[in-house]
Amino acid sequence: MSQARGRELVRLHQKLLDECIAARPTEREIDEVQTEYYQIGGSILFIATFARPDVAFHAHFISQHFVHCGYAHLRFARRVLGYLLKTMHMGLTYRR
């Protein structure tokens, strides 16, 4: 990956984080996305705990918004899930 592409991804990631922090979801929006957000967030928390510590920051950020999640938060969680799918070959291996 080129440096320009890497910088572009970092900027996009920061933009998504800023959107999540600034988001003020309505009650209707919370009701619509809550179930899917819980499922994705729980999966990311499990993966971060047992196999992928590289997403621990993102798992923590997602868990902070479990109570008041909106579309911006769901979009961020889906992006983290997409990263995990693209990098399935990475992870911790436990051996005896």
Side-chain angles (χ1 to χ4, degrees):
M1 177 169 42
S2 69
Q3 282 186 337
R5 175 78 175 135
R7 277 186 247 124
E8 178 184 326
L9 288 174
V10 168
R11 271 188 245 117
L12 175 63
H13 186 71
Q14 188 59 48
K15 180 182 172 197
L16 283 171
L17 278 172
D18 292 342
E19 281 179 21
C20 287
I21 293 169
R24 299 288 180 255
T26 63
E27 290 299 319
R28 181 173 163 255
E29 188 177 343
I30 292 169
D31 291 340
E32 289 176 4
V33 302
Q34 199 168 33
T35 303
E36 185 178 359
Y37 188 75
Y38 284 178
Q39 291 172 346
I40 293 173
S43 298
I44 292 170
L45 281 169
F46 179 82
I47 292 168
T49 303
F50 293 104
R52 297 289 301 272
D54 58 325
V55 295
F57 169 78
H58 302 92
H60 173 71
F61 184 82
I62 289 169
S63 68
Q64 287 180 333
H65 299 281
F66 271 154
V67 174
H68 220 70
C69 56
Y71 291 116
H73 304 102
L74 184 60
R75 190 169 41 250
F76 182 77
R78 286 178 180 162
R79 182 171 176 83
V80 174
L81 194 60
Y83 166 76
L84 288 168
L85 288 172
K86 290 177 190 171
T87 58
M88 257 197 244
H89 63 280
M90 298 172 68
L92 297 178
T93 304
Y94 298 100
R95 295 192 178 121
R96 287 184 171 207

